[in-house]
Amino acid sequence: MFANEPRTKAVLCEHYINEKQKRGNTMKLNGSQIIIECLKEQGVDTVFGYPGGAILNLYDEIYKHPELKHVLTSHEQGASHAADGYARATGKVGVCLATSGPGATNLVTGIATAYMDSVPMVAITANVGTPYLGKDSFQEVDIAGITMPITKYSTIVKDVKKLADTIRRAFAIARSGRPGPVLVDVTKDVTAAMCDYIKQEPKKELPVTDTITEEDLTRALKMINKSKRPYLFVGGGAAISGAQEEVLELAHKLQAPVCDTLMGKGTFPGTDEYYMGMLGMHGTKGANLLVGECDLLIVLGARFSDRDVGSPKTFAKQAKILQIDVDPAEINKNVVVDAKISGDLREVLKRLLPEIQEKNNEDWVAEMKAKQELVNDVVPENVLTGPYVIEKVYEVTKGDALICTDVGQHQMWTAQYYKFKDPRQLLTSGGLGTMGYGLGAAIGAKCGRPEKTVINIAGDGCFRMNMNEVATATRSNIPVIEIVINNHVLGMVRQWQTLFYGQRYSNTVLEDKVDFVKVAESMGAKGVRVTKPEEFAPALEAAIASGEPTVIECVVASDDKVSPMIPAGMPNNKIYDQEDMKNWKN
């Protein structure tokens, strides 16, 4: 040490101070304490979980740390969805905890949901003691192996000396590049074993820029500046990168219409003059038809999901396609493109925008406005319907609420009729389509953004899958609002049975004696049933004013359909409205 340096008093003094500080920061802690300290290092303020035998050491330590808020959910799947909702609403890493065996496997659906939608989440599970691994011990399961295909990284820690670095690495992986879930499994003996711990400040994750090349930028600029009819297609990656200001500037500079995916909602304001609506199966007519008329489709953080592009062989065949995405694996995966830029979307746009020429193409703008006239079906005011409910939610909340959904018709109505103006405002399971996602996500979102009104919009089928989380909301005094659009059927599945299966309604009718209002009240929440249009807005206003968990059941007709609709695998111009569906023939 210092072999090539003069042993001056100043150097020796500095060395002494550094060594003293290092020793002062060193603490002898057990594994559970190390996990808590690592969570605090990462800025975690809230975790969601459910205790059990293998994870008791960690929960005993949580008891001693009231500064770390723990939300006890009613089911581990609810904990994973809550961590997901917290992450989507805040942009931070969500954290969930579960014990071994069934506790860990109950997280799987929530982890897969986060994986499909690129949500940063760290799931920490406990396993049986190291000597009992591989022996079919009680509640033993290889959760790291089970979750390997649905995580960015999964591992088991069997040495307490590796624990702190593994937790730190988990957070770094979860939030870097294209975000996603990470699972860390810790054996029970490691949660009790002692080890030196030295606090570390987490490194700031920088946007991915090393893959952005001048060649790709130059080619993209030539395509953009040459185009006469540019069209922007905005996906969830734009929201994740925080590129909303750049996307807005790009659209107005190019006078380009903008469509989005379900995950991209709010990145470009739904109230803007250039907004066309959602693309794809249940997007607007205008958004879908314009794809066939542009000469350049600029794809911003979207992955060409089958629900968006319908038929990849015919999608935007008349246009050049430029795809910008942080994940190179998504480029040319579903649709072959003409040019690409791989890297953080916001950073890419920052480099492109100064070189992009402003456009003034009156003909293209006129075509855009004509397509905007092809609006969704007119919502009747004299009958309670799903679209009516969504429109009133928008009016009452003035478009400022955080909106969660489950999956089904209500999800598509929400995407169609609520004008999202900010990213991270819509929380929904897009890629996996997880029924039962919404209420847990709403609880997580409210914990992360307590100043916001948080509403989950569900169908009756979905509410049956997560209604136990109402007890989580009341137990922890988390004032979320659950709106159940109750049509007494599995609405989206029934819609497909009507259109494609000869009206054979196999196991999709939910007519039974379940009373959702009484269910809500039995778990300590307020319950309200709405059957007439004029009853809904006052019920929602009262729920918001009460500051209490509230369930509002809205009873609607069984055969209302989501329209427009493009049949699966069909081109985007084969889009059918409500009248078309009335005359549908199988």
Side-chain angles (χ1 to χ4, degrees), residues 493-506 508 559 561 581-582 584-586:
V493 184
R494 182 183 178 89
Q495 178 167 328
W496 280 57
Q497 288 175 330
T498 300
L499 299 177
F500 308 116
Y501 290 87
Q503 301 181 22
R504 295 181 294 277
Y505 301 122
S506 176
T508 51
D559 280 312
K561 295 180 177 60
M581 291 185 188
K582 289 180 182 178
W584 191 279
K585 293 183 180 180
N586 292 301

Side-chain angles (χ1 to χ4, degrees), residues 367-379:
E367 183 61 30
M368 174 191 75
K369 292 186 180 299
K371 290 293 191 292
Q372 285 173 336
E373 295 298 318
L374 303 173
V375 296
N376 294 327
D377 300 301
V378 176
V379 178

Side-chain angles (χ1 to χ4, degrees), residues 228-229 255 360-370:
K228 302 295 185 184
R229 301 188 305 279
Q255 289 191 323
N360 184 13
N361 191 333
E362 293 181 359
D363 292 341
W364 183 230
V365 172
E367 183 61 30
M368 174 191 75
K369 292 186 180 299

Side-chain angles (χ1 to χ4, degrees), residues 19-255:
E19 288 299 308
K20 184 177 181 181
Q21 287 176 341
K22 185 181 290 187
R23 288 196 301 271
N25 289 334
T26 302
M27 297 181 283
K28 184 75 74 173
L29 301 178
N30 65 39
S32 297
Q33 293 170 325
I34 290 172
I35 292 173
I36 297 294
E37 292 302 320
C38 286
L39 294 179
K40 290 162 66 175
E41 278 181 12
Q42 301 296 325
V44 175
D45 53 29
T46 306
V47 297
F48 307 88
Y50 203 95
I55 203 169
L56 270 179
N57 290 332
L58 179 55
Y59 268 85
D60 188 56
E61 197 58 37
I62 288 173
Y63 184 86
K64 305 168 189 174
H65 288 270
E67 74 277 13
L68 182 65
K69 180 180 180 180
H70 179 279
V71 177
L72 175 64
T73 56
S74 298
H75 192 282
E76 289 92 353
Q77 185 171 321
S80 60
H81 292 326
D84 174 303
Y86 177 96
R88 295 194 203 217
T90 64
K92 299 190 291 187
V93 178
V95 179
C96 57
L97 311 174
T99 194
S100 63
T105 58
N106 281 343
L107 295 178
V108 169
T109 298
I111 292 171
T113 301
Y115 183 74
M116 290 290 285
D117 291 343
S118 304
V119 178
M121 185 169 80
V122 171
I124 299 174
T125 57
N127 214 322
V128 299
T130 305
Y132 301 99
L133 290 173
K135 298 181 179 179
D136 293 331
S137 303
F138 177 66
Q139 292 192 332
E140 179 199 355
V141 70
D142 179 12
I143 192 63
I146 289 170
T147 58
M148 189 176 295
I150 54 169
T151 54
K152 287 184 72 177
Y153 176 66
S154 62
T155 188
I156 182 169
V157 180
K158 295 182 282 186
D159 181 351
V160 71
K161 295 177 183 177
K162 298 179 180 179
L163 180 59
D165 286 343
T166 302
I167 297 291
R168 291 164 183 149
R169 185 181 182 204
F171 276 84
I173 293 173
R175 59 177 166 243
S176 65
R178 180 179 181 175
V182 173
L183 179 130
V184 178
D185 194 29
V186 186
T187 59
K188 186 171 184 178
D189 52 310
V190 167
T191 65
M194 303 298 293
C195 180
D196 285 342
Y197 162 80
I198 302 174
K199 182 178 179 179
Q200 292 184 12
E201 291 297 322
K203 294 180 181 178
K204 184 178 180 180
E205 292 297 328
L206 300 176
V208 177
T209 58
D210 58 328
T211 54
I212 304 172
T213 68
E214 288 299 321
E215 180 182 357
D216 287 342
L217 290 170
T218 300
R219 185 175 186 186
L221 277 169
K222 287 181 179 178
M223 292 175 67
I224 294 170
N225 288 332
K226 183 180 178 182
S227 68
K228 302 295 185 184
R229 301 188 305 279
Y231 192 16
L232 306 188
F233 178 30
V234 180
I240 292 169
S241 72
Q244 56 270 23
E245 292 182 5
E246 289 75 16
V247 172
L248 184 65
E249 182 182 348
L250 178 65
H252 283 259
K253 197 167 188 178
L254 295 178
Q255 289 191 323

Side-chain angles (χ1 to χ4, degrees), residues 387-401 403 418 455 457 483 536-537 540 544:
Y388 177 90
V389 169
I390 307 304
E391 283 195 340
K392 290 302 175 184
V393 172
Y394 178 75
E395 290 178 16
V396 171
T397 63
K398 298 179 173 59
D400 288 329
I403 303 295
Y418 198 99
I455 299 171
I457 299 170
I483 297 174
F536 178 73
L540 179 57
I544 294 171

